[in-house]
């Protein structure tokens, strides 16, 4: 079998490694336009900030690919003929395949703003973007970041790390309003304030103004302000990269349409990761998932299907994590930004606003726990997932909160304060906290 994979991101590489494991004799070719070797996209910011060198964000040494008989082709796939099972590359060659995986990822979204093509205006998605940002922010005084999501705060932190003033425009009334409840968003806002990052809420980009040389010199906002700047970062989301799929008969919508086995409409062609759109997502799941870990899970799942072990993709319990300047964030399970019928939540916040915990649970007895938001404190993924899976009553979770504590030694421990607040807010369910990190027998097995 010759498996050709377009894209060497986390999805493509995970699939390649899983197929190598499942079918040692398979011929595997990875094609990537961006880089000869796979790297960790999520770590791009740390290269800019000087915490890591470019070679540090390569999870595998350059020898690894030959050793695992994975052929790397550094080129762009420009056309796909599914009838002939042929992929054309921009280097004048082509590849025939028995199986093809489209793992082409996403591209930054632009909304047709006047001036968006000026020099010094960009998104941050790939290595060329990182190079452009490094070049175009050299010695500048101010950059405007458009977007109130995860990449927006990353761009602000990146600029800040180099002594450049970031000004952030957020369309909504609070940071990441689609995901974070108001209290959690306030904690993130506090990080912006402490780092002297001005954030304009309820404000959108109207226009980008250029100078005589075609470089950005200012932005105009929907509030009518003109903000002088020398660089603009567009962090207004990403959209599946369909350039290759659209040259073929493969059915697409917003993404490449796939069934639960990650099969596309064309025989022997699969799609996974950021570029895939699930025709029938499971209840509570999104049709398009643009996350590192879902890319990894989809890459592993599709490898089984490709190797003749059809496996349905099931994401399982939602989780994600991020960092907003100095504030770590983790979320597990069902953790909506606003009220949802039948769901209640308990919220605790440290008096200094440096940590918070929200626990979501069913309003109906026995008040099964549904999700968590943690800011500035770390929870054990396995424990939270197990509580959600087993529908543990919130009282059980509170009494055993120490079991989920993943903060390093000597870090402040907050369980006593959290449980005290819970008992005050929900006296009818008041609990006694198990001492220290003591676990009930039921949860001790999680650590085995
Ligand atoms: C700055 C940044 C920070 C992020 N941080 C997080 C985070 O903290 N947590 C998280 O869960 N997610 C994060 N994400 C999202 C995460 O990185 C993506 O969901 C994930 O990388 C998608 O993996 P993928 O393999 O599906 O696609 P990609 O990583 O996009 O890889 C696809 C590759 O295919 C190549 N390609 C596309 N078309 C062709 C073609 N025609 N020919 C050849 N090659 C082609 C592309 O150049 C690209 O290299 C972040 C994303 C960015 C941009």
């Amino acid at each position: 079998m010759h498996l050709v994979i377009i894209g060497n991101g986390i999805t493509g590489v995970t699939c390649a490694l899983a197929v190598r494991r499942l079918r040692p004799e398979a011929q595997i070719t990875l094609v990537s336009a961006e880089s000869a070797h796979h790297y960790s996209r999520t770590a791009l910011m740390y290269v800019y900030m000087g915490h890591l060198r470019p070679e540090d964000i390569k999870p595998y040494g350059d020898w690894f690919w030959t050793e695992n008989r994975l052929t790397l082709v550094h080129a762009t796939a420009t056309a796909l003929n599914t009838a002939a099972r042929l992929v054309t590359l921009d280097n004048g060659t082509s590849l025939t395949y028995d199986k093809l995986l489209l793992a082409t990822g996403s591209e930054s979204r632009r909304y047709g703003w006047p001036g968006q093509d000026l020099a010094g205006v960009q998104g941050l998605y790939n290595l060329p973007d990182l190079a452009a940002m490094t070049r175009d922010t050299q010695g500048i005084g101010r950059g405007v970041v458009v977007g109130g999501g995860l990449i927006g705060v990353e761009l602000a932190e990146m600029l800040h790390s180099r002594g450049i003033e970031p000004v952030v425009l957020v369309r909504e009334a609070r940071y990441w309003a689609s995901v974070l409840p108001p209290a959690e968003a306030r904690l993130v806002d506090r990080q912006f304030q402490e780092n002297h990052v001005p954030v304009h809420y309820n404000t959108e980009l109207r226009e980008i103004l250029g100078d005589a040389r075609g470089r950005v010199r200012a932005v105009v906002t929907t509030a009518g302000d003109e903000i002088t700047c020398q660089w603009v970062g567009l962090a207004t989301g990403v959209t599946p990269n369909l350039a290759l799929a659209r040259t073929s008969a493969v059915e697409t919508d917003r993404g490449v349409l796939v069934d639960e086995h990650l099969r596309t409409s064309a025989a022997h062609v699969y799609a996974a990761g950021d570029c895939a759109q699930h025709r029938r997502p499971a209840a509570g799941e999104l049709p398009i998932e643009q996350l590192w870990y879902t890319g990894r899970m989809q890459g592993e799942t599709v490898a089984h299907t490709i190797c003749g072990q059809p496996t349905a993709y099931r994401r399982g319990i939602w989780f994600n994590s991020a960092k907003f300047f100095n504030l770590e964030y983790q979320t597990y399970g069902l953790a909506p930004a606003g009220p949802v019928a039948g769901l209640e939540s308990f919220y605790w916040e440290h008096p200094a606003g440096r940590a918070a915990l929200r626990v979501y649970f069913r309003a109906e007895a026995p008040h099964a726990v549904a999700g968590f938001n943690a800011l500035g404190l770390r929870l054990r993924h396995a424990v939270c997932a197990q509580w959600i899976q087993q529908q543990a009553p919130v009282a059980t979770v509170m009494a055993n909160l120490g079991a989920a504590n993943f903060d390093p030694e000597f870090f402040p421990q907050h369980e006593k304060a959290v449980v005290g607040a819970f008992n005050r807010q929900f006296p009818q369910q008041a609990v006694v906290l198990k001492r220290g990190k003591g676990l009930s027998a039921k949860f001790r097995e999680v650590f085995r």
Side-chain angles (χ1 to χ4, degrees):
M1 173 181 75
H2 184 202
L3 167 65
V4 172
I5 300 175
I6 311 297
N8 72 352
I10 184 66
T11 308
V13 164
T14 304
C15 175
L17 296 178
V19 169
R20 171 58 66 242
R21 200 177 65 236
L22 295 165
R23 292 280 292 271
E25 77 291 356
Q27 186 192 345
I28 303 173
T29 305
L30 282 143
V31 180
S32 172
E34 187 182 350
S35 56
H37 296 100
H38 169 60
Y39 73 93
S40 174
R41 191 174 300 292
T42 56
L44 281 174
M45 70 182 289
Y46 299 107
V47 174
Y48 181 91
M49 298 200 306
H51 299 184
L52 295 171
R53 298 164 302 169
E55 59 266 39
D56 297 329
I57 65 171
K58 286 204 263 181
Y60 306 102
D62 294 352
W63 53 267
F64 176 87
W65 310 98
T66 320
E67 180 135 321
N68 286 283
R69 292 174 293 114
L70 300 169
T71 306
L72 306 184
V73 178
H74 191 182
T76 303
T78 51
L80 166 60
N81 180 338
T82 54
R85 294 198 203 167
L86 186 80
V87 179
T88 307
L89 306 183
D90 69 345
N91 62 8
T93 66
S94 56
L95 292 165
T96 51
Y97 62 84
D98 298 307
K99 310 269 181 183
L100 177 75
L101 173 65
L102 298 173
T104 53
S106 298
E107 52 194 3
S108 297
R109 214 187 263 150
R110 294 191 173 207
Y111 289 90
W113 291 289
Q116 69 176 19
D117 296 323
L118 287 164
V121 181
Q122 65 167 101
L124 177 67
Y125 192 81
N126 50 31
L127 291 169
D129 292 337
L130 180 68
M133 183 171 176
T134 306
R135 182 191 66 223
D136 292 342
T137 58
Q138 196 81 39
I140 69 166
R142 183 188 288 147
V144 168
V145 174
V146 184
L150 287 178
I151 306 298
V153 75
E154 279 193 9
L155 288 175
E157 188 175 352
M158 289 163 80
L159 294 175
H160 182 267
S161 74
R162 291 198 175 194
I164 301 162
E165 184 194 22
V167 176
V168 182
L169 307 185
V170 177
R171 182 179 56 189
E172 293 77 19
R174 64 177 195 268
Y175 174 73
W176 214 16
S178 59
V179 173
L180 294 182
E184 284 90 321
R186 263 197 306 278
L187 255 63
V188 180
D189 190 56
R190 199 176 178 130
Q191 290 291 316
F192 283 124
Q193 286 172 30
E194 285 180 2
N195 287 286
H196 310 288
V197 176
V199 183
H200 297 232
Y201 291 105
N202 296 311
T203 304
E204 292 182 58
L205 176 65
R206 178 179 289 161
E207 184 180 0
I208 307 170
L209 305 177
D211 62 15
R213 292 174 304 141
R215 286 200 53 83
V216 55
R217 66 171 177 81
V219 301
V220 180
T221 72
T222 47
D225 296 324
E226 183 173 316
I227 304 171
T228 301
C229 63
Q230 299 78 41
W231 184 84
V232 175
L234 301 175
T236 45
V238 295
T239 185
N241 181 344
L242 301 180
L244 179 61
R246 284 195 174 133
T247 66
S248 73
V250 171
E251 254 184 78
T252 60
D253 177 35
R254 284 192 295 136
V256 181
L257 288 166
V258 292
D259 65 12
E260 68 273 26
H261 293 100
L262 303 167
R263 292 180 293 222
T264 70
S265 60
H268 311 294
V269 181
Y270 306 79
D274 272 29
C275 70
Q277 178 179 343
H278 300 263
R279 288 180 193 270
R280 282 176 297 278
E285 295 188 2
L286 295 170
I288 301 178
E289 298 181 321
Q290 291 156 321
L291 289 172
W292 182 263
Y293 81 86
T294 48
R296 202 180 56 209
M297 287 165 68
Q298 291 189 24
E300 177 77 30
T301 305
V302 76
H304 283 78
T305 302
I306 286 170
C307 292
Q309 305 167 16
T311 305
Y313 171 68
R314 284 289 164 262
R315 190 190 62 202
I317 289 167
W318 171 258
F319 68 91
N320 200 6
S321 66
K323 191 162 161 279
F324 313 110
F325 286 87
N326 292 320
L327 192 66
E328 289 188 23
Y329 159 72
Q330 294 172 303
T331 187
Y332 301 110
L334 186 60
V340 166
L343 200 65
E344 282 192 45
S345 76
F346 153 70
Y347 180 73
W348 167 84
E349 186 176 304
H350 186 267
R354 306 215 172 277
L357 177 67
R358 186 181 296 278
V359 183
Y360 295 84
F361 56 92
R362 304 283 168 199
E364 205 170 276
H367 309 295
V369 76
F372 298 84
N373 275 344
L375 285 150
L377 51 84
R378 291 182 185 171
L379 298 180
R380 282 180 193 275
H381 182 178
V383 178
C384 294
Q386 187 170 338
W387 277 332
I388 296 167
Q389 192 115 45
Q390 295 179 346
Q391 304 188 1
V394 67
T396 308
V397 169
M398 284 298 155
N400 290 277
L401 205 53
N405 187 325
F406 192 51
D407 274 321
E409 213 179 349
F410 307 125
F411 268 52
Q413 308 295 316
H414 300 295
E415 282 96 42
K416 240 171 110 178
V418 172
V419 172
F422 176 77
N423 289 345
R424 284 191 296 281
Q425 283 181 41
F426 297 93
Q428 69 285 13
Q429 295 177 59
V431 298
V432 177
L433 176 68
K434 299 259 188 308
R435 286 163 64 86
K437 292 196 180 187
L439 316 181
S440 72
K442 191 169 171 198
F443 295 107
R444 207 170 287 139
E445 69 209 40
V446 172
F447 296 102
R448 290 227 187 91

